[in-house]
Amino acid sequence: MLSCRTCGGELREFCDFGPQPLSSGFLEPDYVGDEFFFRLAVGVCGQCSMVQLIEEVPRHLMFNGHYPYLSSGSATMRKHFEQTAKHFIDTELTGDDAFLVELGCNDGVMLKVIADAGIRHLGVEPSQSVAAVARAYGVQVTTEFFQESSAQQIRAASGPAQVIYAANTICHIPYLDSIFRGVDELLAPDGIFVFEDPYLAEIVDRTSFDQIYDEHFYFFSAVSVQAMAARFGFELVDVERLPVHGGEVRYTIARRGARPASARVAALVAEEHGRDLAGQGTLKQFVGRVEQAREELTTLLRQLKANGQTVVGYGATAKSATVTNYCGIGPDLISFISDTTPNKQGRLTPGSHIPVRSRDAFAAPYPDYALLFAWNHADEIIAKEQEFRKAGGKWILYVPEVRVV
Ligand code: SAM
Ligand code: TMP
Ligand code: ZN
């Protein structure tokens, strides 16, 4: 029997994407050797409703000195994190010696605002490549994985934190027992642990199957997070839906009884129960739509190629690893992917081995079609690439369904 990584209940597999590489494992063009693959399959816990990967990729293979993703790569996300920092400054960090800890601070896009306001802070970021960028901004960072032992050290050195914040990081961490024990060590008695991650209901509703890849171990819902918090003596006291990254929820967790729970928690929990979000029927239908999207996308790309049209990718996202490898999309169908991230350019995409080139390559000359892998930044990208449309170019999207716009 497979068991749930958080509660030990029975885990039922409902989805299998086959062998997949490390989603951020971009390769040198002259790379030879065995590329790492694992079986990307997803299950749901019959006891606590937590949706999770079946296989766990060792964390040092994903988060290390080569981790390329930079959080400040999108204007929308820069604004989002600036607003988030200002919100904490105005609400939770008003005391004399307030202290905020961010898990997975990446390049410091959020913490820079906290640092500039002169507030005590610490980023916990195991990927040396991005931690170095944050330090260059004047942000305090410790280069390690957050877990119970690192939390104890931070508490001993710096005292309790009023806020522990994590964006797009908690869903990356299989060992949530150690995380919650660490939060218990580090959080002030009336402090809050706030994290935001892609929301299961959005993934199901938009068929955004590319949110499923090695780093995304959990797909949270209000029901599963509430159950998890309760097991560690905490309570889910607020939920807020966020439009970023294709639809997320920000969960606010406090020590049990420390803060009143907002009515939004009960409302979202009731909504999830009402639609049987983690039910076998719901998840089976999702898998049917995923298979349909694969069929439609590959048929479209093959037709375009047969008609002599040029197609490139836009945004070598971690998400694109699942799309290209699951759909069998290689350099024969997409000549290259343009991406602004320096550490992805000049390399090959993991598993599918499509060259990654700079933004300049996109316009030299413009292709007939661009497959928008960074669909979560569609508004920002389509607005700034208006010349592509004027030159006759068309965008291909596959979320929430395959279409050309
Ligand atoms: N918070 C940023 C954002 O939202 O853009 C970065 C998100 S990035 C997808 C996930 C980050 O979590 C990576 O920078 C990774 O190194 C970090 N990470 C992974 N495991 C961690 C852990 N146990 N403690 C702290 N950070 C971790
Ligand atoms: P994300 O969807 O995980 O945030 O990744 C977005 C990727 O797309 C990242 O590699 C940066 C890249 N990107 C561009 O190349 N151009 C852009 O305008 C934006 C917003 C992102
Ligand atoms: Zn469970």
Side-chain angles (χ1 to χ4, degrees):
M1 181 187 105
L2 292 168
S3 50
C4 171
R5 190 72 168 77
T6 63
C7 84
E10 187 180 349
L11 191 61
R12 300 185 205 124
E13 182 176 326
F14 64 89
C15 189
D16 184 359
F17 292 95
Q20 292 281 335
L22 301 169
S23 62
S24 288
F26 292 83
L27 304 167
E28 295 296 341
D30 56 358
Y31 174 84
V32 277
D34 288 335
E35 198 175 348
F36 176 90
F37 282 91
F38 74 109
R39 189 173 78 92
L40 181 66
V42 195
V44 60
C45 174
Q47 194 161 291
C48 76
S49 294
M50 186 69 85
V51 174
Q52 57 201 275
L53 297 191
I54 303 287
E55 277 190 25
E56 181 178 333
V57 172
R59 63 186 187 177
H60 66 275
L61 295 181
M62 299 185 282
F63 309 117
N64 50 45
H66 302 291
Y67 189 65
Y69 181 72
L70 294 171
S71 301
S72 47
S74 125
T76 314
M77 293 314 297
R78 288 196 294 274
K79 193 168 162 216
H80 171 75
F81 287 124
E82 193 182 324
Q83 285 172 345
T84 301
K86 287 191 171 141
H87 166 74
F88 287 138
I89 291 170
D90 292 343
T91 54
E92 303 289 333
L93 303 173
T94 52
D96 277 351
D97 193 27
F99 181 41
L100 177 144
V101 175
E102 185 180 5
L103 318 181
C105 70
N106 196 272
D107 61 10
V109 62
M110 201 287 293
L111 281 184
K112 187 182 178 305
V113 184
I114 303 283
D116 288 349
I119 293 173
R120 248 177 3 113
H121 63 276
L122 183 68
V124 187
E125 176 48 71
S127 298
Q128 299 94 319
S129 44
V130 296
V133 182
R135 281 199 193 95
Y137 282 137
V139 166
Q140 301 290 321
V141 188
T142 175
T143 310
E144 59 194 320
F145 288 95
F146 186 80
Q147 54 194 11
E148 189 176 11
S149 55
S150 43
Q152 279 164 349
Q153 284 160 15
I154 297 166
R155 166 77 197 227
S158 307
Q162 279 66 46
V163 178
I164 301 177
Y165 173 67
N168 307 297
T169 296
I170 298 304
C171 77
H172 292 53
I173 304 181
Y175 43 98
L176 288 180
D177 48 344
S178 180
I179 295 297
F180 270 91
R181 287 197 301 270
V183 169
D184 197 14
E185 286 282 339
L186 184 57
L187 195 68
D190 60 346
I192 48 172
F193 173 34
V194 180
F195 59 91
E196 58 199 55
D197 287 290
Y199 181 34
L200 177 65
E202 296 275 11
I203 296 171
V204 168
D205 291 343
R206 297 196 199 197
T207 319
S208 43
F209 66 92
D210 57 347
Q211 293 281 16
I212 302 169
Y213 54 91
D214 57 350
E215 292 176 27
H216 285 178
F217 190 84
Y218 292 112
F219 305 91
F220 295 137
S221 62
V223 168
S224 63
V225 169
Q226 188 177 51
M228 174 172 72
R231 273 199 310 282
F232 293 98
F234 290 88
E235 193 178 346
L236 178 61
V237 295
D238 202 6
V239 286
E240 182 188 353
R241 295 189 69 157
L242 305 173
V244 297
H245 286 312
E248 303 204 318
V249 171
R250 174 178 288 171
Y251 305 92
T252 300
I253 291 190
R255 294 182 188 281
R256 187 179 291 138
R259 295 203 183 200
S262 116
R264 282 190 291 266
V265 175
L268 196 58
V269 165
E271 189 180 313
E272 292 175 4
H273 282 310
R275 56 172 293 185
D276 200 18
L277 177 61
Q280 295 288 328
T282 308
L283 298 173
K284 198 172 164 214
Q285 282 173 12
F286 165 74
V287 173
R289 292 194 300 277
V290 172
E291 287 165 356
Q292 188 187 335
R294 169 167 68 173
E295 183 59 33
E296 288 177 10
L297 183 59
T298 51
T299 301
L300 174 63
L301 293 176
R302 282 197 213 103
Q303 272 169 0
L304 293 175
K305 185 185 162 113
N307 294 342
Q309 307 281 327
T310 52
V311 185
V312 309
Y314 200 104
T317 56
K319 296 183 284 295
S320 72
T322 299
V323 181
T324 58
N325 288 286
Y326 170 65
C327 299
I329 299 169
D332 53 327
L333 293 178
I334 290 183
S335 41
F336 67 90
I337 304 181
S338 110
D339 194 287
T340 51
T341 315
N343 287 339
K344 296 183 182 179
Q345 293 167 358
R347 300 205 159 91
L348 303 175
T349 58
S352 46
H353 299 181
I354 301 168
V356 182
R357 299 173 63 184
S358 69
R359 155 65 185 74
D360 289 350
F362 178 60
Y366 284 120
D368 298 314
Y369 289 83
L371 176 52
L372 187 53
F373 288 116
W375 54 265
N376 45 314
H377 304 300
D379 291 348
E380 177 180 339
I381 291 171
I382 292 174
K384 78 178 168 196
E385 294 291 5
Q386 289 180 26
E387 289 300 317
F388 168 55
R389 273 259 183 75
K390 286 188 194 143
K394 292 193 173 68
W395 293 101
I396 302 172
L397 287 137
Y398 52 88
V399 170
E401 67 269 313
V402 177
R403 66 198 195 282
V404 175
V405 296

